[in-house]
């Protein structure tokens, strides 16, 4: 799960999704909201086996800093049917 929050501005989605795609990841679900000036993005991402998750977190943090937003990447809880 990838979450991004901060002031709304152009390029947030493309910036963070490009980082995920850069490691071969795929966005499988994406939701965004705007509440006043607060922009929130929540995305489910599928990462290939063997991805260096810590390096991805660092790259996402760098992109988030460039965009002036906060970012969090965490493991999603498995759906049990």
């Amino acid at each position: 799960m990838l979450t991004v929050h901060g002031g709304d501005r152009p390029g947030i989605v493309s910036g963070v999704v490009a980082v995920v795609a850069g490691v071969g990841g795929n966005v499988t679900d994406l939701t965004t909201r705007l509440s006043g000036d607060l922009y929130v993005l929540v995305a489910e991402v599928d990462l290939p086996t063997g991805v260096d998750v810590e390096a991805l977190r660092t790259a996402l943090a760098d992109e988030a800093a460039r965009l002036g937003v906060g970012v969090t990447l965490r493991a999603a809880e498995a759906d049990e049917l």
Side-chain angles (χ1 to χ4, degrees):
M1 294 297 300
L2 173 67
T3 58
V4 178
H5 63 279
D8 187 28
R9 61 166 292 181
I12 294 173
V13 174
S14 64
V16 295
V17 169
V19 174
V20 171
V23 298
N26 185 36
V27 175
T28 57
D29 190 28
L30 181 109
T31 303
T32 63
R33 270 190 205 96
L34 185 59
S35 178
D37 290 334
L38 179 64
Y39 178 81
V40 178
L41 175 151
V42 178
E44 290 181 19
V45 296
D46 184 33
L47 301 175
T49 303
V51 165
D52 183 342
V53 176
E54 288 308 312
L56 176 57
R57 282 190 178 108
T58 299
L60 286 166
D62 290 346
E63 181 64 12
R66 185 186 75 76
L67 293 166
V69 296
V71 66
T72 303
L73 178 66
R74 63 176 174 77
E77 295 179 17
D79 289 334
E80 293 187 29
L81 301 176

